Amino acid sequence: MVLPDHRRTRILDQIGIQVWRSRDAGGEDSPVTASEESRVAAPVDPVNSTEQEPDRYRSLEDISAKVLECQRCPLHTQRKRAVPGTGNPDADWMFVGEAPGREEDIRGLPFVGRAGQLLDSMILALGLSRDQVYIANTIKCRPPNNRDPSPEEVRKCESYLKAQIGMIQPRVIVALGRISAHLLLKTPDSVPMRELRGQVHQHGPTGTPLVVTYHPAYLLRSPDQKARAWEDLLLARLQLK
């Protein structure tokens, strides 16, 4: 789905991202876009399962079934529903968030609260729809009071996400937030977002392009960062050309 320029601009304006016309197009300001020459970071090691024996899954449906009955960590005792992931199994784009929130815990789907509505709008601005991409989280159950997942909780869930990426084989991965970025890139928690954004990382044995951006929940609290998040998405889109 390709959106006309005027409709895409209207969507970006509605979600608080201002886009200016370039001087070549008759405007007086420069556009807020990602650099056409993306800076490619050095390859990183692929995600290695921390389980002694990697889990074997037959399909995305098999992964979802395992997630729904998972009892690997204490989070299963407090959840209403586990949240495996959703979307197109043949997606070019894969968005990886951090953990389910309250609405996700109730409905069993990722990104269905206010942050999800913002993510949907940004996906639409890219000329895509939610059913054209795949959306998942680093962990599949909601932590109490929406706290950050613990390293042990992330470790217990890691093989699910690894298997999802392996089966979907997206052409580009977008890490939403620092927790998903650190997991996928295997960077220390002390590395700030500003050092991870604005470049193209490589993930896994096939070197899948991976771009880091802010989590939509953070953008709701810091709307002044929406333009930077849009630049990140444009950088990710360049990897599909």
Side-chain angles (χ1 to χ4, degrees), residues 3-230:
L3 293 178
D5 288 343
H6 70 278
R7 186 180 175 194
R8 182 170 59 252
T9 300
R10 185 169 66 252
I11 292 170
L12 292 171
D13 183 64
Q14 289 172 350
I15 61 180
I17 299 174
Q18 186 176 11
V19 178
W20 298 283
R21 291 181 301 164
S22 67
R23 292 184 176 87
D24 291 340
E28 297 181 356
D29 295 301
S30 298
V32 179
T33 59
S35 170
E36 291 296 321
E37 295 182 0
S38 57
R39 293 172 289 147
V40 180
V44 298
D45 291 335
V47 174
N48 295 313
S49 174
T50 53
E51 304 293 335
Q52 290 184 350
E53 292 294 335
D55 291 298
R56 304 299 181 186
Y57 305 102
R58 297 183 298 273
S59 63
L60 288 173
E61 291 77 12
D62 186 33
I63 297 172
S64 294
K66 294 291 195 303
V67 168
L68 293 174
E69 63 184 21
C70 181
Q71 298 183 13
R72 292 181 178 179
C73 78
L75 289 181
H76 82 274
T77 64
Q78 305 178 57
R79 74 187 180 210
K80 290 182 173 64
R81 295 186 181 182
V83 184
T86 188
N88 188 335
D90 298 315
D92 288 338
W93 290 74
M94 186 168 182
F95 293 85
V96 180
E98 298 180 348
R102 187 178 70 87
E103 288 297 321
E104 289 78 12
D105 183 52
I106 293 171
R107 298 175 58 182
L109 294 170
F111 285 92
V112 291
R114 290 182 61 222
Q117 293 171 9
L118 176 56
L119 178 61
D120 286 349
S121 295
M122 298 183 80
I123 291 172
L124 182 60
L126 287 168
L128 301 167
S129 61
R130 189 180 176 101
D131 60 5
Q132 289 179 290
V133 305
Y134 197 90
I135 305 173
N137 283 310
T138 58
I139 68 169
K140 312 305 186 183
C141 296
R142 180 195 181 195
N145 300 315
N146 289 345
R147 64 161 172 77
D148 288 347
S150 70
E152 179 66 9
E153 290 162 354
V154 172
R155 186 184 72 84
K156 292 291 187 180
C157 251
E158 184 176 357
S159 68
Y160 294 135
L161 179 61
K162 179 182 178 183
Q164 287 173 319
I165 294 173
M167 289 184 182
I168 296 166
Q169 296 185 2
R171 293 176 60 195
V172 65
I173 299 171
V174 179
L176 301 168
R178 60 181 177 82
I179 292 175
S180 58
H182 289 318
L183 171 67
L184 292 168
L185 296 177
K186 293 301 181 185
T187 48
D189 292 345
S190 58
V191 178
M193 284 286 287
R194 65 176 178 272
E195 294 184 14
L196 300 175
R197 288 186 53 257
Q199 57 186 309
V200 181
H201 304 271
Q202 295 180 2
H203 176 270
T206 59
T208 303
L210 186 151
V211 173
V212 175
T213 193
Y214 298 114
H215 193 283
Y218 172 79
L219 296 176
L220 291 174
R221 300 190 302 270
S222 305
D224 58 313
Q225 299 299 316
K226 287 182 178 180
R228 292 184 178 179
W230 178 238

